[in-house]
Amino acid sequence: MRKILHITVIIILLLCSTLAMSQEKTADPDAEIKEMLYNKYKKEVRSYDKKDFDDLFMSFFESQNGEKVLTKEEFYTYTIKIAIYSEKLGLLYKSQKAESDQAKKEWYDKSYQDYLNSKKN
């Protein structure tokens, strides 16, 4: 009887963990491209000075508001670079770490689908 109970508990735990992992993967369909871009640009962006960041930020808003629709990679390249710079500020200014982490999260969570929907309007 105990063996059956143990086996049942193990099966339930395995099913729950499998469901949790599958939900985690579907939460952000673009997580893979974001991680790839984060790893690709992390060192580059951390060496940016204020002028480089301002140029990046202006370029993003000009591109976003222009007639041309950004590709998924272009859009995420901008947002991930801005997120990395926000992270850098948190590392430099410890008193602003919470604000920097929040800004990083907001930029990292931006969705290409939301961008496309905004272009339709």
Side-chain angles (χ1 to χ4, degrees):
M1 186 66 161
R2 281 186 144 184
K3 285 185 179 183
I4 293 174
L5 182 62
H6 286 299
I7 291 172
T8 305
V9 169
I10 290 172
I11 291 173
I12 290 172
L13 289 174
L14 287 173
L15 287 174
C16 289
S17 65
T18 303
L19 287 173
M21 286 191 297
S22 67
Q23 286 178 348
E24 213 172 274
K25 290 179 184 177
T26 59
D28 185 1
D30 297 327
E32 191 174 312
I33 190 170
K34 289 178 181 181
E35 277 300 312
M36 185 263 309
L37 292 170
Y38 179 85
N39 292 328
K40 181 178 180 180
Y41 292 112
K42 184 177 179 179
K43 286 184 180 178
E44 175 188 328
V45 174
R46 286 205 173 161
S47 69
Y48 279 11
D49 60 12
K50 179 73 170 138
K51 183 187 178 317
D52 293 329
F53 175 72
D54 288 344
D55 292 343
L56 170 70
F57 205 72
M58 288 304 297
S59 177
F60 173 64
F61 280 103
E62 287 171 358
S63 298
Q64 187 178 17
N65 295 327
E67 293 295 315
K68 180 183 168 230
V69 175
L70 295 171
T71 65
K72 184 182 278 193
E73 187 166 344
E74 289 171 331
F75 177 79
Y76 283 133
T77 297
Y78 281 118
T79 60
I80 296 302
K81 283 183 173 184
I82 293 170
I84 295 168
Y85 192 81
S86 298
E87 178 183 54
K88 173 188 172 178
L89 292 177
L91 295 171
L92 290 174
Y93 306 104
K94 301 293 184 192
S95 64
Q96 297 178 2
K97 181 153 178 52
E99 294 88 354
S100 296
D101 288 345
Q102 181 63 31
K104 176 189 174 190
K105 182 178 179 349
E106 288 174 14
W107 282 101
Y108 203 89
D109 290 345
K110 292 220 181 268
S111 165
Y112 184 68
Q113 190 60 46
D114 291 344
Y115 162 71
L116 289 178
N117 290 340
S118 73
K119 289 300 259 185
K120 290 179 184 176
N121 297 333

